[in-house]
Amino acid sequence: MKVLAAMSGGVDSAVAAARAAEAGHDVTGIHLALSRNPQSYRSGARGCCTIEDSNDAQRAADVIGIPFYVWDLSERFHEDVVEDFMDEYAAGRTPNPCLRCNEKIKFAAVLDRALGLGFDAVATGHYAQLHTGPDGLIEMHRAVDHGKDQSYVLGVLTQEQLAHSMFPLGDSTKPDVRREAERRGLLVADKPDSHDICFVADGDNTGWLREKLGDRAPNDGGDIVEDGTGEVLGRHEGTYGFTIGQRKGLRIGTPAPDGKPRFVLDIEPVSGTVTVGPRERLAIDRIAGIRARWCGTVPSEPLHGTVQLRAHGDEHRAVVTVGVDDQVAIELLDPAYGIAPGQAAVIYDGTRVVGSATIAATERVAR
């Protein structure tokens, strides 16, 4: 096949490209220039938006012996990922920009362009597995290395996108990939993984949002109040600095009567009110999901499976019922804690990814 290998400049995408080429495919490497000003995003080896990363990807392509190009998708990335990130925080929600990037950029903008240029598939360094199911559809499953599994951030992919995707690392562990990179002479073999948001230069999300939101922030600050009593415990500079379940950085001077830590329970961006309380008040067992996306056939009956509610989070046993207008009702059989609107609920049947939905609301049903 003609394969377009998306090369971020890291070890995973380099080995994925090398494996695709070694398998006999006609591979072309591309690096995505996602920053309108590379100096304003990440620096060093911590992200995937720098000149250094582009150079690392170029050198890896040279070693593999494949053509290499840079595609400038900075405007599309800013509109679909960065602007979405700011808007969601301004509205009191907690987005996942990596998931949105996969949905809007890597497997939409890139894949559409690749197919238009005559490529058959896009290969990436994501840790996930693809198999053909008994019904002939392409199934996405968790990676062999569950510690590196990235199927959660790929849960937005449709059957059409999966049919033109390749994840060559799904059956490998990260140590194996690094050893293979060294054996192949790839200089990125020991390059550190990126963990933070690629477009936040210093990893300070709150500071970045404070600078970028400007007049779009719905308030310049507000009260931090005690759940139940409404007692004002402190002030804050903006609701965008908080997420549901947050414990650190609350800067509350008054200790709780029981001496236990407080957590963010609710964020009201219009009034600027942040409500805090004990951890047990974070428990939820009902989730309303919107903007459902399905990797294959839409479940016609309630699905007894599991859901993952944050990247690298635990799986929760659940019953998932599909409603109308891309709405999903999720009943958790065991309560989850600190689940924020805006995050994704990715639905699994065993190791198979069924689909995903954006969390719109949560609640705790008294038992």
Side-chain angles (χ1 to χ4, degrees), residues 35-44 49-52 199 201:
S35 171
R36 295 187 297 182
N37 176 9
Q39 307 308 317
S40 69
Y41 282 5
R42 180 74 68 194
S43 62
C49 300
T50 71
I51 299 298
E52 297 168 42
F199 53 82

Side-chain angles (χ1 to χ4, degrees), residues 16 78 130 135 155 204 253 268 307 313 326 363:
H78 187 83
L130 296 178
D135 55 2
D204 179 9
E268 214 302 300
V307 294
D326 290 330
E363 64 176 324

Side-chain angles (χ1 to χ4, degrees), residues 121-358:
V122 170
T124 71
H126 288 99
Y127 285 78
Q129 299 186 86
L130 296 178
H131 304 298
T132 301
D135 55 2
L137 296 180
I138 304 299
E139 298 180 352
M140 178 165 57
H141 289 256
R142 288 193 182 276
V144 167
D145 186 345
H146 279 210
K148 288 297 296 181
D149 174 63
Q150 292 174 296
S151 59
Y152 175 85
V153 295
L154 298 170
V156 291
L157 302 188
T158 65
Q159 181 63 201
E160 176 67 19
Q161 292 167 330
L162 291 175
H164 295 285
S165 300
M166 292 177 63
F167 306 128
L169 307 187
D171 61 352
S172 301
T173 67
K174 185 58 177 265
D176 288 340
V177 170
R178 289 199 181 278
R179 283 191 289 269
E180 181 177 335
E182 185 174 6
R183 186 173 68 250
R184 290 180 181 276
L186 298 170
L187 298 180
V188 292
D190 296 322
K191 185 173 180 177
D193 290 339
S194 58
H195 296 287
D196 299 323
I197 297 170
C198 70
F199 53 82
V200 179
D202 57 3
D204 179 9
N205 293 356
T206 300
W208 187 91
L209 285 164
R210 184 183 302 114
E211 175 188 348
K212 300 294 183 181
L213 279 176
D215 294 337
R216 274 188 292 179
N219 59 75
D220 294 324
D223 293 331
I224 301 175
V225 304
E226 182 78 58
D227 180 53
T229 68
E231 178 187 357
V232 177
L233 303 175
R235 293 280 299 175
H236 64 81
E237 297 179 353
T239 55
Y240 51 79
F242 299 90
T243 186
I244 301 295
Q246 179 178 334
R247 173 185 174 184
K248 297 181 179 179
L250 303 183
R251 296 192 297 276
I252 300 173
T254 306
D258 59 6
K260 295 181 180 179
R262 293 184 179 90
F263 298 79
V264 175
L265 305 180
D266 186 60
I267 301 167
E268 214 302 300
V270 176
S271 67
T273 303
V274 174
T275 303
V276 300
R279 182 178 184 274
E280 55 265 26
R281 294 283 289 125
L282 286 171
I284 60 103
D285 53 15
R286 292 285 192 279
I287 295 172
I290 58 175
R291 292 174 51 194
R293 291 176 64 89
W294 303 103
C295 299
T297 303
V298 181
S300 58
E301 300 291 336
L303 171 69
H304 293 256
T306 60
V307 294
Q308 186 173 330
L309 303 174
R310 57 169 63 91
H312 308 297
D314 296 329
E315 284 187 86
H316 302 269
R317 296 182 304 137
V319 179
V320 180
T321 305
V322 181
V324 297
D325 298 328
D326 290 330
Q327 297 187 52
V328 177
I330 300 173
E331 176 189 356
L332 302 179
L333 302 186
D334 305 296
Y337 293 82
I339 306 305
Q343 294 175 323
V346 177
I347 304 157
Y348 292 82
D349 183 5
T351 63
R352 180 174 66 90
V353 184
V354 179
S356 67
T358 300

Side-chain angles (χ1 to χ4, degrees), residues 23-106:
H25 300 300
D26 179 6
V27 179
T28 297
I30 61 158
H31 178 78
L32 304 181
L34 300 179
S35 171
R36 295 187 297 182
N37 176 9
Q39 307 308 317
S40 69
Y41 282 5
R42 180 74 68 194
S43 62
R46 298 178 58 198
C48 55
C49 300
T50 71
I51 299 298
E52 297 168 42
D53 294 313
S54 178
N55 291 337
D56 286 342
Q58 170 77 75
R59 284 189 287 267
D62 289 343
V63 171
I64 298 167
I66 59 175
F68 178 83
Y69 302 92
V70 175
W71 285 6
D72 184 355
L73 292 177
S74 56
E75 290 299 326
R76 178 78 179 265
F77 181 78
H78 187 83
E79 292 173 6
D80 290 344
V81 180
V82 180
E83 291 279 348
D84 176 78
F85 180 80
M86 292 189 287
D87 290 342
E88 287 292 282
Y89 265 103
R93 296 185 288 267
T94 304
N96 185 312
C98 295
L99 189 145
R100 196 65 61 231
C101 183
N102 286 332
E103 176 186 356
K104 299 291 188 179
I105 305 299
K106 294 176 183 175

